[in-house]
Amino acid sequence: MTAPPLGRDYRLLWSAAVSSRFGDALRTPALALLAATLTRDPRVIAAVTVAGQLPPLLFGLLGGVYADRWDRRRTMAVVDGLRAAVVGGLALAVALDRAGVAALVAVAFLLAALGTLFDAASFAMLPAVVPPAALTRANGRLQAGSAVAGGFLGAPAAGVLFALAAPLPFAVDALTFAAAALLTLALHPHPRPLPSSPRSCTLCPNESGEKPRSGGHNCKIAKDGRGRAARRGRGRARAVWREGVEGVRWVRGDATLWRLTVATAGSNLAISGLMAVLVLYALDVLRVPPAGYGLFAAAAVLGGLAGGLWAGRLAARLGTVPTLRLVLAGQAVALTGLALARHPVPGGLALAVFAAGTTVWNGLWASYGQRHVPAALLGRVGAAQRMAGLLTAPIGAALAGLAGAAYGVAPVAVAVAGVFVLVALTSWRGLAAAGPPTGTAEPSATATAEVRTTPLRSPRDG
């Protein structure tokens, strides 16, 4: 069967996402380099990193609520416009030599806070622009494009641009945000999904068409309407909280979605630990020459690109959940191989396989949610999943750092592999119980036409 076309709107959305990813890959290392030129205090430099990590945990659910309330296309465009202004202001401050550490912390925090709203809106946008049967392929191409823009283009260019002129990577980043905003505005408008629970009173008028008797009636919705004006201030805050909790309850209530979320949180514990010591492991254990570390890291980018391109084909042949189980097993083997390797070549191959699995996981996890979550809940469900995954990442990084200082990085790599194997074994059985039988084909466009879902950007994204 011929694959359904992705269409003009998908190409625009893909271009906007890749443009933003390229800018992110420029800004992140440039912020660290700029902080290092201002101070050599590791606590201060770490504060810039932490400032960018806190908002998803603090405001993730809030971003999901408003992504489901507001027009998602306009929300994404406005957020990118604001981010362009923030980064452009930082570029100007750097050019005028007015950027201090406090400004870097504030910019990192503000960009990450805006990013929570953007991520939730973009999470819920993809199913509105591609056919349901094309979601897996669309997510795979997004993952592949982001890998190329971030790993092959943005990260190597960041140091070069910063060496040429410190404001330059921030100015280019501002331009990428502006370009992404314009591309998003060029999307065709899509109707906002109806709320998950009706707010109009179905008894006014009643089923026979008669209007209510004088004095009205006392259904729950009518009572809520009469009291809403008096309680508006407190009611709005409570409504936001209730809507956010709806996303958490949906994740908890879907057996497969919940098991995938728990598996992601568990694997992030291991992945963040690996990333915390990867540079030292490559240099000290694998004996990668400092000049060759960029080539070693490129193995992960190549693996991520391959995974993004093959995700759709694997899911079409095996089914989404069976493929995810296979990915967990393959990553457990790859991470074990990396922990046992003592040479750059097998270590790089193992890293490439592991990165490929991460990209496949991200795309297929997204596609599963897109077919099983109502359109009106997509922002909140995606935010709840990202928060669950991100909660374990700082714990894994901190434990790996402490253990590495006490015992060396080689034992840490073995421990990380052990944690991932344990997660894989546990999740393998859980997903077998929750998911469809192995060999189940991906749903067709006809079978999924009534289900509205969205791309979940998994916290495994690195």
Side-chain angles (χ1 to χ4, degrees), residues 390-415:
L390 289 172
L391 283 172
T392 60
I395 299 173
L399 291 176
L402 293 173
Y407 306 108
V409 293
V412 171
V414 173

Side-chain angles (χ1 to χ4, degrees), residues 56-66 241 244-245 247-248 380 383-384 387:
L57 298 176
L58 297 176
F59 310 125
L61 284 180
L62 186 65
V65 168
Y66 286 104
W241 174 250
V245 171
V248 177
R380 284 165 283 173
M387 286 185 66

Side-chain angles (χ1 to χ4, degrees), residues 27 31 48 51-52 86-87 89-90 101-113 170:
R27 182 187 69 254
L31 274 176
V48 177
V86 171
V87 181
L90 176 61
V101 171
L104 300 188
V105 170
V107 166
F109 186 88
L110 184 57
L111 289 175
F170 304 109

Side-chain angles (χ1 to χ4, degrees), residues 245-255 257-258 369 372-374 377 381:
V245 171
E246 281 181 18
V248 177
R249 286 176 177 169
W250 182 275
V251 174
R252 188 64 185 89
D254 185 291
L257 205 59
W258 174 246
H372 292 82
V373 179
L377 276 169
V381 169

